[in-house]
Amino acid sequence: MLVRDAMSTVVLTIGPAHTLRQAARLMSARRVGAAVVLDEDSCGVGILTERDILNSLALGQNPDAETAGSHTTTDVVFAAPAWTLEDAATAMSHGGFRHLIVLDGSGPVGIVSVRDIIRCWAPARHPARQHIPA
């Protein structure tokens, strides 16, 4: 199975000036664990994850004052839609992260997460059957 088969194509994108609270609200509303940070003025494409927000809070930083740009990972490993899920899982495992931005051409076309890969690899869930004695 390929990354294109597992990735989410609805990508939350934010700017570097978004506060961490704004980013957290958007991520929560969309039920995603990461946002792509687009910054044409500097690094281009980066990623802000729930872990980045959690680390900031653990340091006692103010989520209304801290910006996404200050907490964005810019040395991002990107995936291609044609990568296998094994390639993506290996990159995540070696890099110690849970999300890959998927690039096709010059822009992001999706995000694949550990959860997406697990959904593809895990057997389909079936409703629990009750055993009724005869």
Side-chain angles (χ1 to χ4, degrees):
M1 186 168 268
L2 302 178
V3 165
R4 75 170 49 92
D5 302 319
M7 71 182 189
S8 172
T9 57
V10 178
V11 179
L12 172 61
T13 58
I14 62 173
H18 278 82
T19 67
L20 293 186
R21 184 176 310 278
Q22 290 169 326
R25 282 185 178 139
L26 291 168
M27 291 164 64
S28 178
R30 301 239 179 120
R31 300 178 51 94
V32 297
V36 173
V37 181
L38 297 178
D39 185 0
E40 284 87 29
D41 293 334
S42 65
C43 65
V45 178
I47 191 166
L48 179 75
T49 67
E50 56 200 355
R51 184 179 300 169
D52 298 322
I53 296 170
L54 184 66
N55 288 338
S56 175
L57 292 175
L59 292 172
Q61 296 175 334
N62 180 349
D64 294 312
E66 293 295 315
T67 63
S70 298
H71 296 276
T72 296
T73 301
T74 56
D75 59 341
V76 178
V77 175
F78 297 101
W83 277 20
T84 65
L85 292 185
E86 289 81 6
D87 293 334
T90 298
M92 289 178 187
S93 177
H94 288 175
F97 44 81
R98 298 176 297 178
H99 300 87
L100 286 169
I101 299 172
V102 183
L103 291 183
D104 193 9
S106 63
V109 294
I111 290 186
V112 65
S113 69
V114 169
R115 182 179 297 170
D116 297 326
I117 293 171
I118 290 170
R119 277 191 200 119
C120 291
W121 285 350
R125 291 193 291 171
H126 299 287
R129 294 185 180 178
Q130 291 182 336
H131 176 71
I132 301 173

